[in-house]
Amino acid sequence: MPQEPAAIASVLQESRAFPPPEAFSRAAVVGDSDRHERLQALSREAPEVFWREVSRELHWFQPFTTVRSGSGPDTRWFEDGTTNLAYNCLDRHLEGPARNRAAIIWEGEPGDTRTLTYLELHREVCRMALVLSELGLAKGDCVGIYMPMVPEAAIAMLACARLGLVHSVVFGGFSSEALKDRMNDAGARAIITADGGWRRGQVVQLKAQVDAAAPSIPTLEHVLVVRRTGTPVAWTEGRDVWWHERRSLVGEQHEAVPVGAEDRLFILYTSGTTGKPKGLVHTTGGYMAQVFLTSRFIFDLKEQDVYWCTADVGWITGHSYVVYGPLLSGATVFMYEGAPLHPGPDRFWSMIARWGITILYTAPTAIRTFMKLGDDHPRRHDMSTLRLLGTVGEPINPEAWMWYHRTIGGERCPIVDTWWQTETGAIMIAPLPGITTTRPGSATQPFFGIRPDIVDGQGQPVPDGQGGYLVIREAWPSMARTIHGDHARYLTQYWSQVPGSYFTGDGARRDADGCYWIMGRVDDVINVAGHRLGTMEIESALVSHAAVAEAAVVGRPDEVKGTSVVAFVTLKAGRKGDEALKGELRNHVATEIGAIARPEEIRFTDALPKTRSGKIMRRLLRELAGGGEAFGDTTTLEDLSVLAALRQDDEG
Ligand code: WT7
């Protein structure tokens, strides 16, 4: 296992507690404590009965007869049932009151707006499904989605799900290199993209990035292009097709394709400890059940809500809680295209006031950014429609939590701090807003049927209050089933560290009340602005530059981003480490991976501190990067003079 979790022991002692407001509980989807206890007992004692009841609310073409089969990493859910996620998100609502309810309310960065009712969204999804099948795409094929945050991003995902195509959404902020690697790993036959998207008043040229990547993606046959910005784009006849042209040629009725519960729904790439991003594979039935229930229970979704999750569809949060979860619940989803501070620092608050948003789900990094900008911006807007707030992506500092509570929530909105991962597919630990007493900085209690535990380096449970590794004891419906093309890595990384349990890679402690306090990653993965980055990935990007011999990347605590990237770089003989090269290397990383991975700081050094076995001693580098002395245990360090030199550089 990686470093001892005691090394990241939390010093946080937080005693403030916020019971749910009575009026909130009275109206909540789960607000009655007797019902809560019954559900909890059932989910604990008979998880299969619990999940069977949940799934009965959804539509199955062929109803399942078994709920759970297999165990550990081989667990399958609803295995013999067939269903369709897009059908459940759309068709299922058309006979009821949601038919003419807004499914998506969208605002573009320039201020243009669109609203799609469930009926309209259904038609758009049918049209895109027809276009995709005319292109010859069929069940099991993989389709890349590389889009700005426009309704067509959700339409594309739903159209794929409707046809049983496996989508792989790549965040629009990733570079063409990153897109190429992911599309090749997934073997994508098509990419759905746009001419561009608006961000900070500029057009992000998505189609141009696809054009740059395409020649190196041998499996790619089609590029379906949505016109968003009207920017001129290069065109490859025979490969590229315009969505608006094809759309007008097809009908608007399409029968959803029944798929097996264990058929693949999507592949989503996330950073790991090696240079290669992992394509986590999620399947249909279990994912559907858990994102459905967590959305409804944790976000307390009701007809009259306007729910806004600020995540991009390129991340798991966008999959589960912008698109699938809320639409399964028949909710109204607000979607915003652009940058949070454009054209001014109050853009979010102005949208909340203008659209009457009732639920806001965002990341601690955004909250800290707003907190820094001061209270005047939110105060200028009437945000009294807000009734529930959420956070996700990294631990939230109690200060930021309190600011969110007071300044955004007006002290009346419960805050749901939701812990989960790309791998878990859906929320695992979070308050139920009508039931749980919240504490600033704690994700509180496990969701129904989820059994977390905290263990030491030997896999033994630790007493309450003590830090350790967070593991999940039993399989859950929305868990990733494998890493695309590398099942062995899936087994070793997640299921072999503590036999029989899922290893999360996070450190945590549980307090005497059973509340979980997440401390962050314990592996060589850092969390920058709520996004996981593998240090190896950034190192590989640096080493791919002609001047670089070796690189080590560590995280440094950052007030706003949580962690920022610091790179220690040794150069090839004859190369001079100057400011110009620093800039070049920073840009190189942005080109190779994307702007979020761009190192905040680059330090040139003649050598990196290594153990006798050649392993880079990141702990020392972390201490140095954080401005510390790196006087810790250096007994395994091969060459002490390396550290001395690094310290000198620091002073100089
Ligand atoms: C890692 C997963 C799942 C959504 C977005 C990130 C950290 C996530 C919390 C939280 C403390 C959190 C963990 C986790 N994390 N939510 N509420 N409190 N830490 O997805 O990129 O797969 O990253 O984000 O370290 O392992 P991801």
Side-chain angles (χ1 to χ4, degrees):
M1 276 194 216
Q3 96 200 53
E4 269 301 309
I8 51 160
S10 165
V11 286
L12 194 68
Q13 285 300 333
E14 179 58 59
S15 52
R16 286 170 287 200
F18 297 84
E22 225 171 88
F24 191 101
S25 299
R26 232 178 294 124
V29 175
V30 188
D32 171 85
S33 50
D34 290 343
R35 172 156 179 254
H36 175 244
E37 270 161 36
R38 274 200 311 279
L39 287 170
Q40 208 164 36
L42 184 66
S43 69
R44 250 190 226 136
E45 286 145 31
E48 299 185 16
V49 179
F50 177 86
W51 288 111
R52 187 181 66 218
E53 293 309 310
V54 172
S55 303
R56 276 209 179 129
E57 287 194 46
L58 299 163
H59 179 82
W60 297 82
F61 293 104
Q62 165 76 51
F64 53 87
T65 58
T66 55
V67 174
R68 182 169 63 172
S69 26
S71 65
D74 301 315
T75 310
R76 281 116 32 215
W77 294 84
F78 315 114
E79 200 179 6
D80 59 351
T82 67
T83 185
N84 184 288
L85 184 50
Y87 183 98
N88 274 290
C89 287
L90 302 169
D91 307 51
R92 196 167 56 91
H93 300 306
L94 296 187
E95 304 308 318
R99 180 182 175 90
N100 297 315
R101 182 185 303 157
I104 296 179
I105 297 177
W106 173 84
E107 185 167 308
E109 194 186 72
D112 46 340
T113 70
R114 279 166 71 191
T115 297
L116 289 139
T117 63
Y118 271 88
L119 181 66
E120 290 171 313
L121 182 61
H122 176 258
R123 287 186 181 157
E124 287 306 294
V125 170
C126 286
R127 288 185 178 114
M128 199 177 285
L130 289 166
V131 169
L132 293 173
S133 56
E134 275 186 7
L135 291 175
L137 297 160
K139 188 161 176 283
D141 287 343
C142 180
V143 174
I145 297 178
Y146 186 59
M147 290 283 280
M149 280 296 281
V150 293
E152 282 74 13
I155 292 166
M157 292 164 74
L158 289 158
C160 288
R162 196 168 186 87
L163 290 167
L165 304 174
V166 179
H167 62 64
S168 182
V169 185
V170 176
F171 172 51
F174 277 136
S175 66
S176 63
E177 276 296 308
L179 175 69
K180 180 198 80 188
D181 291 344
R182 286 160 174 76
M183 294 297 95
N184 277 326
D185 188 76
R189 285 189 64 198
I191 295 178
I192 305 171
T193 189
D195 51 356
W198 290 103
R199 185 122 189 133
R200 287 191 208 95
Q202 309 281 317
V203 172
V204 179
Q205 309 264 355
L206 293 165
K207 171 66 163 63
Q209 299 287 325
V210 174
D211 290 338
S216 330
I217 310 170
T219 52
L220 185 68
E221 296 163 50
H222 310 284
V223 178
L224 181 62
V225 189
V226 172
R227 194 163 65 190
R228 158 65 185 135
T229 55
T231 322
V233 292
W235 207 252
T236 301
E237 284 306 330
R239 185 197 70 188
D240 298 349
V241 289
W242 281 114
W243 158 238
H244 64 272
E245 285 177 3
R246 294 297 171 113
R247 178 183 173 279
S248 64
L249 302 175
V250 294
E252 56 189 32
Q253 287 309 322
H254 175 268
E255 293 284 315
V257 175
V259 302
E262 283 295 327
D263 281 350
R264 298 186 310 165
L265 175 67
F266 63 83
I267 304 175
L268 183 61
Y269 287 84
T270 187
S271 297
T273 50
T274 71
K276 196 169 171 279
K278 299 176 283 195
L280 288 153
V281 175
H282 280 282
T283 55
T284 306
Y287 175 83
M288 174 169 79
Q290 197 174 332
V291 297
F292 166 63
L293 197 70
T294 48
S295 299
R296 218 174 52 176
F297 281 8
I298 297 168
F299 298 114
D300 194 48
L301 291 174
K302 313 228 178 65
E303 275 172 50
Q304 61 274 29
D305 280 313
V306 182
Y307 159 91
W308 183 21
C309 165
T310 66
D312 190 280
V313 290
W315 313 108
I316 190 70
T317 311
H319 285 59
S320 303
Y321 299 109
V322 174
V323 181
Y324 293 124
L327 295 179
L328 282 168
S329 306
T332 295
V333 174
F334 177 73
M335 209 172 155
Y336 167 59
E337 176 185 35
L341 306 181
H342 189 88
D346 62 342
R347 179 65 185 260
F348 269 29
W349 322 128
S350 131
M351 290 191 293
I352 289 171
R354 281 187 285 113
W355 293 106
I357 286 164
T358 58
I359 303 169
L360 174 68
Y361 186 34
T362 193
T365 180
I367 297 166
R368 289 189 298 262
T369 303
F370 294 130
M371 192 168 107
K372 256 190 132 170
L373 292 166
D375 294 6
D376 291 351
H377 305 297
R379 292 258 155 85
R380 275 213 304 279
H381 299 274
D382 176 4
M383 298 197 287
S384 57
T385 49
L386 281 176
R387 64 178 195 91
L388 177 63
L389 303 174
T391 84
V392 62
E394 58 183 311
I396 181 163
N397 354 32
E399 278 330 291
W401 196 102
M402 287 306 299
W403 183 84
Y404 200 28
H405 170 71
R406 287 199 192 109
T407 312
I408 306 306
E411 298 185 26
R412 72 183 174 276
C413 306
I415 297 181
V416 289
D417 175 352
T418 62
W419 177 87
W420 59 297
Q421 308 177 298
T422 304
E423 292 85 345
T424 70
I427 295 169
M428 302 289 277
I429 304 179
L432 288 173
I435 295 284
T436 316
T437 292
T438 56
R439 285 159 205 280
S442 172
T444 74
Q445 311 268 349
F447 190 69
F448 296 118
I450 306 300
R451 281 188 50 208
D453 206 355
I454 314 270
V455 301
D456 63 17
Q458 280 68 52
Q460 296 306 312
V462 303
D464 285 347
Q466 198 171 309
Y469 302 108
L470 178 65
V471 298
I472 311 290
R473 290 297 189 192
E474 242 174 68
W476 61 99
S478 65
M479 71 185 207
R481 301 297 195 261
T482 189
I483 293 173
H484 180 66
D486 200 350
H487 195 62
R489 187 175 173 199
Y490 171 78
L491 295 177
T492 44
Q493 185 141 358
Y494 302 116
W495 295 94
S496 70
Q497 317 242 19
V498 181
S501 294
Y502 168 83
F503 185 75
T504 66
D506 279 356
R509 74 183 160 89
R510 182 177 50 220
D511 67 19
D513 300 325
C515 282
Y516 285 79
W517 300 78
I518 312 294
M519 288 138 66
R521 306 291 306 176
V522 293
D523 50 19
D524 288 333
V525 169
I526 53 181
N527 192 320
V528 180
H531 300 306
R532 248 200 295 177
L533 298 174
T535 51
M536 261 298 284
E537 236 177 305
I538 307 173
E539 287 161 8
S540 309
L542 284 163
V543 174
S544 73
H545 187 281
V548 175
E550 203 174 21
V553 163
V554 295
R556 175 176 59 204
D558 181 288
E559 226 181 280
V560 173
K561 292 194 238 169
T563 308
S564 64
V565 176
V566 178
F568 293 85
V569 172
T570 61
L571 297 175
K572 289 190 182 147
R575 298 302 296 246
K576 201 169 149 291
D578 52 17
E579 286 305 314
L581 184 58
K582 281 187 187 173
E584 202 179 309
L585 292 178
R586 295 176 71 236
N587 289 338
H588 182 68
V589 173
T591 316
E592 290 291 310
I593 303 174
I596 50 165
R598 192 197 305 266
E600 181 83 17
E601 187 184 337
I602 297 217
R603 293 200 197 177
F604 295 116
T605 168
D606 289 336
L608 292 167
K610 289 187 186 163
T611 61
R612 284 176 196 98
S613 61
K615 202 166 179 289
I616 294 172
M617 294 188 71
R618 285 164 202 286
R619 178 176 54 77
L620 297 181
L621 294 175
R622 265 196 298 270
E623 286 166 21
L624 283 170
E629 293 270 3
F631 279 147
D633 184 4
T634 51
T635 44
T636 53
L637 187 64
E638 195 201 35
D639 181 358
L640 267 171
S641 66
V642 170
L643 194 58
L646 277 165
R647 279 202 203 107
Q648 261 167 20
D649 287 353
D650 204 19
E651 282 149 22

